[in-house]
């Protein structure tokens, strides 16, 4: 069931098109990865969905309603941005109470339980938090507000590996108990590959891929081994790219694997979403 | 051959010990990963090696010389920090020229070639660069200065996946042509696992692991499959941690694998440095 409809969106800043004729339909209660290089147009798209900026052309509907200056669809969305909009003197605890004002379903008990798990001190001022803890504070608000749509822009910025792991687990747990439509924009693609169902890839303001991660990864494979043997095997095949380390070579192929055609000594492995992304979006 | 000797270093800030009796010997021309959670003491250690701060106890030698207020060992080190020490009006191009003043072996041609690969505009002011390009600028200085020791503190902060990939490749290329002692402190452990030879793990100011990545990863394995079958298999074994996704379970074990003991239906895979790190450093 389509929940967010992005119809022929173009957004120009001066003469430069940040997005060009982008159309995507997002289903209710799915987790999407919004992937793209720095400057590909990801944040512009999120800003358009939340009506922080206006499109040059096209329209965006959330649950059937146009988002332009319209509280009904906008109240259904929580947008975690890189920016901080809280007053300087506000503490984490008081931000939770304000969350309840804006989002009637905000779950303060859950926010406090998450704060304990992440060791976030709720009596601290938000502006005094480190980069990692600012992200954690915003992650907690996102998961606790119970908005039907959550947009997360670089949610794991500054988090150490343990906190990223905890975030992914809590997101999946929270989503399984209370499914929502979630869009995650991130540069840590391989880590996110485990939690996103669909990947939307932007390149220079255009959608170049929009499919389930499972389907994307099933369309190709990797082959590793001695450079000469790999070169022989991949000749004439659809090669996305290769990595060489000493005499060892790994090639990334976008085509169906014929197991019987693989010579002894070559190792076949699954495609890796991040590597695939890198080769698709390199200029 | 030992090149950097860290001997019984303790560093207190007030009553709090950021580092406690840390001793490590770093060999010449090896790549080390300095791993630890936020607040574990990584940056404190790098600041001590470069004499930006003084130890409470212990001493640090570089190529036999104590680093305390001593230009000889300090001139052998380039330290890429999160901070920016360049004047506001300085451009990238002029910073390269200054690099040559401080580091006689600074390779301006290489710095310019790298700038082209990363699409860094060298006529831009350093302070006007985005977070990602500030990191790229500092990466380029680090690789071009040809100091015998390079310390990199979170070098990939803000970089997209393509630029991280390019950085790892250029680092390996540069290192293979001109071996140096390199210490990389990073939260992106799984990506760094391919380029670091030795991992030094700090937890609460103490070294809890210091070994080659190959040796660390050979000491354990992962097992995945149906939760009940995995639970039966791991009973009584040295389990670092487990992940559950639906009915599937993955367990991380720190012990020798007996291939014959693995029942049908369970999948064995190699240990993953980041997961291992997470389970070792969780509180």
């Amino acid at each position: 069931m389509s929940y967010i409809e992005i119809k022929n969106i173009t957004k120009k800043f001066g003469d430069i098109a940040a997005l060009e004729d982008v159309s995507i339909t997002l289903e209710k209660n799915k987790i999407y990865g919004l992937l793209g290089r720095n400057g590909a147009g990801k944040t512009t798209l999120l800003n358009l969905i939340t009506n922080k900026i206006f499109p040059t052309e096209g329209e965006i509907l959330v649950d059937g309603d146009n988002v332009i200056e319209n509280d009904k669809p906008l109240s259904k969305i929580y947008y975690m941005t890189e920016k901080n909009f809280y007053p300087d003197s506000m503490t984490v605890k008081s931000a939770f109470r304000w969350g309840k004002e804006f989002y009637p379903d905000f779950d303060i008990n859950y926010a406090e339980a998450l704060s304990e798990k992440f060791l976030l001190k709720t009596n601290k001022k938000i502006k005094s938090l480190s980069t990692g803890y600012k992200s954690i504070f915003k992650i907690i608000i996102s998961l606790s507000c119970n908005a039907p749509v959550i947009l997360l822009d670089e949610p794991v910025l500054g988090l150490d590996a343990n906190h990223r792991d905890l975030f992914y687990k809590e997101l999946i747990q929270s989503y399984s108990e209370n499914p929502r439509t979630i869009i995650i924009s991130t540069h840590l693609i391989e880590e996110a590959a485990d939690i996103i169902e669909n990947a939307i890839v932007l390149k220079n303001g255009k959608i170049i891929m929009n499919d389930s991660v499972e389907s994307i990864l099933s369309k190709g494979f990797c082959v590793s081994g001695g450079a000469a043997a790999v070169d022989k095997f991949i000749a004439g095949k659809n090669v996305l790219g290769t990595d060489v380390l000493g005499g060892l070579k790994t090639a990334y192929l976008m085509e169906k694997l014929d197991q019987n055609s693989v010579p002894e000594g070559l190792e076949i492995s699954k495609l890796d979403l991040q590597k695939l992304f890198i080769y698709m979006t390199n200029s």
Side-chain angles (χ1 to χ4, degrees), chain A:
Chain A
M1 184 189 146
S2 78
Y3 195 68
I4 302 178
E5 290 170 81
I6 296 164
K7 297 179 172 174
N8 306 103
I9 284 287
T10 292
K11 173 66 188 178
K12 288 186 180 172
F13 295 104
D15 284 345
I16 296 161
L19 292 173
E20 225 179 308
D21 198 22
V22 165
S23 294
I24 327 167
T25 300
L26 299 159
E27 290 173 43
K28 196 168 183 171
N29 301 342
K30 256 197 173 177
I31 303 181
Y32 292 85
L34 179 61
L35 311 178
R37 299 202 55 181
N38 278 329
K42 304 185 300 296
T43 302
T44 301
L45 185 59
L46 297 178
N47 284 339
L48 285 163
I49 294 173
T50 50
N51 191 221
K52 294 210 180 298
I53 55 176
F54 294 91
T56 309
E57 284 170 49
E59 62 172 7
I60 296 177
L61 310 179
V62 172
D63 203 9
D65 295 308
N66 194 314
V67 296
I68 304 277
E69 293 179 348
N70 188 347
D71 279 348
K72 194 179 160 205
L74 294 176
S75 70
K76 293 175 181 162
I77 307 175
Y78 181 83
Y79 180 20
M80 169 178 170
T81 67
E82 276 200 69
K83 296 218 177 77
N84 245 321
F85 299 106
Y86 294 89
D88 277 359
S89 64
M90 189 175 269
T91 62
V92 170
K93 202 188 277 277
S94 55
F96 290 168
R97 283 197 301 266
W98 275 102
K100 182 89 189 159
E101 299 289 320
F102 288 108
Y103 294 91
D105 296 326
F106 191 98
D107 185 342
I108 289 191
N109 291 335
Y110 180 52
E112 280 169 358
L114 282 179
S115 302
E116 272 183 39
K117 284 190 187 179
F118 281 101
L119 304 176
L120 169 64
K121 298 196 180 92
T122 57
N123 55 355
K124 276 206 162 187
K125 284 184 185 165
I126 296 159
K127 81 158 187 179
S128 75
L129 300 173
S130 65
T131 306
Y133 270 106
K134 281 203 181 85
S135 294
I136 287 168
F137 162 69
K138 290 186 276 185
I139 282 171
I140 292 174
I141 298 268
S142 309
L143 293 179
S144 307
C145 72
N146 286 311
V149 179
I150 308 178
L151 312 181
L152 304 169
D153 198 3
E154 285 296 343
V156 295
L157 192 76
L159 265 60
D160 63 30
N162 309 54
H163 277 153
R164 299 201 305 276
D165 190 60
L166 181 58
F167 163 62
Y168 300 132
K169 284 179 177 158
E170 291 296 333
L171 179 77
I172 289 294
Q173 177 74 19
S174 167
Y175 171 79
S176 67
E177 288 167 9
N178 173 18
R180 282 155 282 178
T181 304
I182 303 175
I183 305 180
I184 303 172
S185 170
T186 182
H187 289 310
L188 299 193
I189 296 171
E190 201 44 34
E191 291 186 0
D194 289 336
I195 54 167
I196 61 180
E197 295 171 73
N198 275 53
I200 299 163
V201 181
L202 274 172
K203 182 178 179 178
N204 301 330
K206 291 179 186 156
I207 304 280
I208 59 166
M209 184 176 267
N210 179 10
D211 200 351
S212 79
V213 172
E214 203 185 336
S215 158
I216 293 169
L217 296 184
S218 72
K219 284 176 187 153
F221 62 94
C222 304
V223 56
S224 308
V230 168
D231 282 337
K232 195 175 164 198
F233 177 72
I234 65 176
K237 291 193 168 66
N238 184 16
V239 181
L240 290 171
T242 57
D243 283 333
V244 180
L245 194 67
L248 277 177
K249 191 165 191 167
T250 299
Y252 306 89
L253 287 93
M254 206 61 176
E255 60 176 62
K256 205 92 209 126
L257 168 66
D258 171 12
Q259 272 289 6
N260 299 322
S261 75
V262 182
E264 195 83 7
L266 290 188
E267 201 177 307
I268 300 295
S269 56
K270 274 190 266 187
L271 215 54
D272 152 333
L273 191 64
Q274 181 160 301
K275 279 285 177 191
L276 175 62
F277 170 86
I278 289 171
Y279 288 116
M280 282 178 64
T281 59
N282 263 343
S283 42

